[in-house]
Amino acid sequence: MTEIRTGNQPVTQITIVDSEPDKQTEALSVMTERARFMARQPGFISISLHRSLDGRRIVNYVQWQNRDLLRSAHQSPEFRKEWGHFDQLTDEIDPNLYEVAQVIDSGQ
């Protein structure tokens, strides 16, 4: 279950992937397969994939128990095996780690 909260929290990686509209569906398919692999790795909490309505971006929201386990999963040969093909589907990949600064929901 995705946890969005301040304080003692899991590591969050948000990756923005740019692609041409005619390649977004295929790029999302590769990312979905990778997400299924990641879901079986130690430290996994959740992955959410979002696609922009203009067809140009995919946002990958990942939560992991800690940085070391996330890094280990990313370095796995199985995760990287489609990397060359994925690069052909994308224009830019921008991953960054984040911490939650504020959470405001309908109950506040």
Side-chain angles (χ1 to χ4, degrees):
M1 181 71 157
T2 303
E3 300 175 27
I4 302 176
R5 57 186 163 85
T6 59
N8 186 14
Q9 57 187 294
V11 64
T12 299
Q13 178 179 312
I14 300 173
T15 303
I16 300 172
V17 176
D18 292 331
S19 68
E20 294 300 317
D22 63 331
K23 295 180 182 177
Q24 184 193 51
T25 299
E26 190 174 357
L28 186 59
S29 177
V30 171
M31 290 178 76
T32 299
E33 285 304 310
R34 285 182 170 173
R36 288 187 179 113
F37 165 77
M38 296 297 257
R40 298 187 310 268
Q41 303 312 300
F44 172 83
I45 295 173
S46 70
I47 294 177
S48 300
L49 296 170
H50 307 258
R51 65 174 155 207
S52 66
L53 298 179
D54 66 3
R56 298 199 171 272
R57 277 168 224 80
I58 300 167
V59 175
N60 184 6
Y61 185 96
V62 177
Q63 288 193 312
W64 224 265
Q65 288 176 359
N66 63 56
R67 287 182 186 197
D68 291 337
L69 291 173
L70 176 60
R71 185 179 304 113
S72 178
H74 276 135
Q75 293 173 349
S76 163
E78 186 176 343
F79 177 79
R80 295 199 165 272
K81 73 179 178 182
E82 295 292 328
W83 197 261
H85 178 64
F86 188 63
D87 279 348
Q88 295 172 2
L89 300 173
T90 61
D91 297 327
E92 185 176 343
I93 303 169
D94 185 21
N96 289 284
L97 296 180
Y98 295 86
E99 68 179 17
V100 179
Q102 292 289 327
V103 175
I104 300 171
D105 61 31
S106 63
Q108 297 180 0

